[in-house]
Amino acid sequence: MREYLLTLCITAAVTYLLTGPVRKFAIVAGAMPEIRARDVHREPTPRLGGIAMFFGLCAGLLVADHLTNLNGVFSQSNEPRALLSGAALIWLIGVLDDKFEIDALIKLGGQMIAAGVMVMQGLTILWLPIPSVGTVALTQWQGTLLTVALVVITINAVNFVDGLDGLASGMVCIAAAAFFMYAYRIWYSYGIEAAAPATLFAAILMGMCLGFLPHNMHPARIFMGDSGSMLIGLVLAAGAISITGQVDPDSLFGGSQRQTVHQMVPVYIPLLLPLTIIAIPAADLVLAIVRRTWRGQSPFAADRGHLHHRLLEIGHSHSRAVLIMYFWSALIAFGALAYSVNSASMWIVLGVVILSAIGLLLLLLPRFTPRAPMWAQAFVPPRYRRRRKAVAESAPAVEPVAPAVEEEERTPVAVGVSGVNGATAIGARSRFLDRRKAGSSR
């Protein structure tokens, strides 16, 4: 565990430290596209954040190769090299798209080629456990097609959910954390070395997301772009493919093959954990197709009707909308993980139901702003701090300074700029307009 944590920290540190220089390079290179109608941000923001994430991936693999216990992953398996080859290819395609915005079909072809490169080096699905049937061995073509489909779907799901500051990196980090706990349990508790590559991939993926997330939280200073979203999507899919197609169910439980797979049904639920990120984007995709078709538009026409747009429209702030989607991702991922550990416990099901009710309640309270207690004031953002005491202390100091004549002259201005003091709650655009009105009236 110490070596996995060291790999995670090195990956996060390299990604974090390189993101600043990469941002300056993106500005110089002109990788700052104009704001589109469906975008949420108001100022042009540089992309190419995937450059820092890719070098973080390389640093994590390099450090793991020189560690005592993790070195066996590279000597006994070719999967880390397969991941690096596919990641380098998909990263180059993403960098070109961030700069020149290449065609969607070209990106799709590049995704399939990257998946094929990993398959050629051994990172593929060999068999599938099917309940009441047993372990079904796949032919070479079946395994290749299933692997390519899984990679392409996961990459585009991550790319699809990247619509708000910090949303994609946070959701992928949550899914990777739950998947790491499951893969480490398979590797450590059952002594199955075939689960070690997936555990390493999950640790590196967490480091990539955690290192980039401080630069990407609202207001974002840099976007990961397609070079980052497609990269973390490929790493996420690689972990799922590794542990799904390489770990034999018969090595976990005794008995007949059919009975083994039947007992493994709850345990194999977390094998879909990397795909839990697709749950929200898939629902959003279906709703978008139905909505656009109902309006007589093309299903591929861009609009502002996605789930994160709707959260903003009903009154949620940018940060709260992201946190709500974090909550649902964590509920799905860790709920499945808990069910795999003890599928017979009704407390797990009851806990998931209660947390789901809390999540629905949060969706219906967009204007509720919690206030942190006094001892936690220094650890929360300014909007969650108590301000009554500060206002009360500053009011007496301002009153004696202004003379009576000045108060009379400023009375009409105060009516016109009633929103200046609370401009941060309205938005930057309203604040600037109010300031112009205040200046003109003076």
Side-chain angles (χ1 to χ4, degrees):
M1 177 60 75
R2 289 193 298 267
E3 294 188 354
Y4 282 119
L5 292 179
L6 177 60
T7 304
L8 187 153
C9 293
I10 293 296
T11 305
V14 172
T15 304
Y16 177 80
L17 294 176
L18 288 180
T19 303
V22 167
R23 179 179 181 273
K24 296 180 180 179
F25 170 75
I27 295 175
V28 173
M32 297 177 61
E34 297 180 357
I35 300 177
R36 299 163 295 187
R38 64 179 184 272
D39 290 335
V40 177
H41 59 282
R42 295 183 178 180
E43 297 180 358
T45 305
R47 296 184 181 180
L48 296 178
I51 296 179
M53 304 179 80
F54 176 74
F55 283 104
L57 169 67
C58 295
L61 292 175
L62 182 62
V63 170
D65 190 19
H66 289 80
L67 295 178
T68 304
N69 296 325
L70 295 184
N71 185 34
V73 177
F74 296 84
S75 60
Q76 299 176 6
S77 174
N78 198 40
E79 294 181 7
R81 300 177 183 86
L83 171 65
L84 184 59
S85 302
L89 181 58
I90 203 70
W91 172 71
L92 288 175
I93 297 173
V95 169
L96 293 176
D97 182 68
D98 290 340
K99 173 58 180 176
F100 303 105
E101 295 188 2
I102 61 179
D103 188 71
L105 292 179
I106 297 179
K107 287 195 296 183
L108 179 61
Q111 295 168 5
M112 298 177 67
I113 294 175
V117 168
M118 294 194 301
V119 170
M120 292 175 59
Q121 300 188 47
L123 187 57
T124 183
I125 298 177
L126 302 178
W127 54 69
L128 286 177
I130 300 179
S132 71
V133 175
T135 302
V136 177
L138 301 178
T139 63
Q140 183 178 0
W141 283 104
Q142 290 174 343
T144 300
L145 292 176
L146 186 59
T147 302
V148 171
L150 182 60
V151 171
V152 172
I153 291 174
T154 307
I155 288 176
N156 287 280
V158 176
N159 194 11
F160 187 77
V161 80
D162 187 20
L164 295 179
D165 297 347
L167 182 58
S169 54
M171 292 179 66
V172 171
C173 185
I174 291 172
F179 183 70
F180 172 81
M181 296 173 64
Y182 170 74
Y184 183 81
R185 176 171 174 261
I186 297 296
W187 173 73
Y188 182 78
S189 300
Y190 295 98
I192 300 176
E193 294 295 333
T199 311
L200 177 61
F201 296 165
I204 292 176
L205 182 58
M206 280 193 292
M208 295 166 61
C209 295
L210 290 175
F212 182 75
L213 198 56
H215 299 273
N216 192 232
M217 292 301 292
H218 181 72
R221 301 178 66 249
I222 185 174
F223 294 151
M224 68 172 66
D226 285 358
S227 59
S229 61
M230 293 197 298
L231 176 63
I232 60 177
L234 182 134
V235 178
L236 194 64
I241 293 169
S242 175
I243 202 169
T244 303
Q246 305 295 331
V247 177
D248 188 2
D250 294 334
S251 60
L252 296 177
F253 293 99
S256 62
Q257 189 180 57
R258 181 174 300 182
Q259 183 181 2
T260 297
V261 178
H262 181 72
Q263 294 175 351
M264 282 288 292
V265 172
V267 181
Y268 265 82
I269 290 179
L271 294 176
L272 302 177
L273 277 176
L275 303 180
T276 55
I277 193 174
I278 301 179
I280 296 177
D284 196 4
L285 178 62
V286 173
L287 293 175
I289 293 176
V290 173
R291 178 179 66 252
R292 295 165 186 171
T293 305
W294 182 264
R295 295 176 180 176
Q297 300 176 347
S298 171
F300 302 100
D303 59 9
R304 291 179 58 89
H306 297 291
L307 292 178
H308 50 271
H309 291 142
R310 293 183 178 272
L311 289 175
L312 297 177
E313 289 176 358
I314 64 178
H316 290 288
S317 64
H318 192 292
S319 301
R320 186 178 296 179
V322 172
L323 292 177
I324 288 175
M325 300 192 77
Y326 282 178
F327 174 84
W328 285 105
S329 298
L331 181 61
I332 297 173
F334 288 98
L337 177 66
Y339 183 73
S340 70
V341 176
N342 187 4
S343 60
S345 177
M346 291 301 298
W347 289 104
I348 297 176
V349 179
L350 182 61
V352 172
V353 172
I354 294 175
L355 290 176
S356 300
I358 294 176
L360 292 175
L361 183 62
L362 292 176
L363 290 175
L364 300 177
L365 295 175
R367 302 189 182 279
F368 172 71
T369 303
R371 297 300 179 188
M374 296 301 298
W375 58 269
Q377 295 292 307
F379 305 100
V380 296
R383 60 180 175 274
Y384 297 125
R385 300 174 185 172
R386 301 180 185 274
R387 303 174 183 174
R388 295 180 179 178
K389 185 177 180 180
V391 173
E393 293 177 353
S394 60
V398 176
E399 289 178 358
V401 176
V405 178
E406 187 71 18
E407 290 180 358
E408 294 178 359
E409 294 179 355
R410 293 188 179 185
T411 301
V413 178
V415 176
V417 264
S418 59
V420 171
N421 294 331
T424 54
I426 300 174
R429 188 171 300 174
S430 299
R431 180 176 67 236
F432 296 150
L433 293 176
D434 290 336
R435 284 182 176 177
R436 295 191 190 99
K437 292 178 181 179
S440 61
S441 58
R442 289 181 183 177

